[in-house]
Amino acid sequence: MKYQLAIFDLDGTILNTLEDLYFAMNYALREKHLPERSLLEIKQFVGNGILQLIKRAVPVGTSEEEIMQIHKIFRAYYSKHCKDNTAPYQNIIKVIQELRNAGIKTAVISNKIDSAVKLLCQEYFPNLFDIVTGEIQGRPRKPAPDAVYAVLQTLNDTPEQAIYIGDSEVDLQTAKNAGLPCISVAWGFRDEAFLKANGAETIISEPSALLDLLLS
């Protein structure tokens, strides 16, 4: 096998979290008497962390103070409701297990709040990842490569031994910045045309294709 470590994005790659993000965002907007957003808009806004999602969702000209208030409301709501409508993508659990059975280490790196990432992975993917990490204060979010470097160091791997799997332009840039090849998935929050326009070279439409790419 060429790769010893597969690093996965979370939202839109292994876990469909869109509806819970949508409900949490609109709950926070309603609490501040601001216009709500559609599911499609939220889908387009996610990828750079919760704070960036909020900044994209609020009306232009919203003050920084109000944005931080919305952020607090969102986090409190989402921490209680992050599993209401969330579920793994079909067959992804089986595929990750087969990769591990073949001796490939697995990890998750997300721009989601670290506590939520750990909670969701423990809930839906128990014992399927060697390391799981989300947004940590003081560490730059993706597409900065810092989280990738931290995972590589912890698992004692080099960029040449690892591959990155994600669903967005943020993931493509993260992989590039860290010096890793990237497999883009077309079942997540960005479609194939968008991924190609943003430089994706390897795009798969179903999880089982990972086995062909990584175990052959």
Side-chain angles (χ1 to χ4, degrees), residues 9 11 21 25 42 44-57 67 71 74-75 78 109-114 117 134-136 140-143 168-171 189-190:
D9 172 52
D11 298 58
L21 291 169
M25 187 69 260
I42 297 301
Q44 294 169 337
F45 293 161
V46 297
N48 293 90
I50 297 304
L51 187 58
Q52 192 62 40
L53 165 62
I54 293 167
K55 289 181 177 180
R56 290 168 176 164
I67 287 172
H71 185 253
F74 181 103
R75 289 185 64 140
Y78 190 71
I109 297 176
S110 173
N111 276 339
K112 187 190 291 292
I113 304 161
D114 185 65
V117 175
E135 181 182 5
I136 294 175
R141 295 189 303 272
K142 299 185 298 182
S168 73
E169 72 280 13
V170 176
D171 296 310
F189 297 167
R190 306 288 188 268

Side-chain angles (χ1 to χ4, degrees), residues 76-190:
Y77 181 93
Y78 190 71
S79 66
K80 297 177 181 178
H81 298 278
C82 64
K83 299 185 294 182
D84 291 359
N85 303 280
T86 286
Y89 287 101
Q90 187 174 9
N91 294 327
I92 193 67
I93 292 176
K94 179 181 177 182
V95 166
I96 295 169
Q97 186 63 68
E98 289 196 36
L99 292 177
R100 292 182 66 81
N101 291 344
I104 295 178
K105 288 178 279 189
T106 54
V108 168
I109 297 176
S110 173
N111 276 339
K112 187 190 291 292
I113 304 161
D114 185 65
S115 58
V117 175
K118 288 179 167 56
L119 175 67
L120 291 168
C121 285
Q122 181 57 40
E123 174 76 18
Y124 296 108
F125 308 98
N127 304 314
L128 282 183
F129 295 106
D130 295 283
I131 187 169
V132 169
T133 185
E135 181 182 5
I136 294 175
Q137 188 172 7
R139 186 177 71 189
R141 295 189 303 272
K142 299 185 298 182
D146 301 58
V148 175
Y149 293 155
V151 166
L152 291 172
Q153 183 176 22
T154 300
L155 297 180
N156 196 30
D157 287 299
T158 66
E160 293 75 23
Q161 296 171 317
I163 191 161
Y164 192 98
I165 301 129
D167 72 302
S168 73
E169 72 280 13
V170 176
D171 296 310
L172 285 162
Q173 192 61 50
T174 301
K176 181 179 180 180
N177 291 342
L180 271 61
C182 186
I183 297 174
S184 296
V185 308
W187 59 75
F189 297 167
R190 306 288 188 268

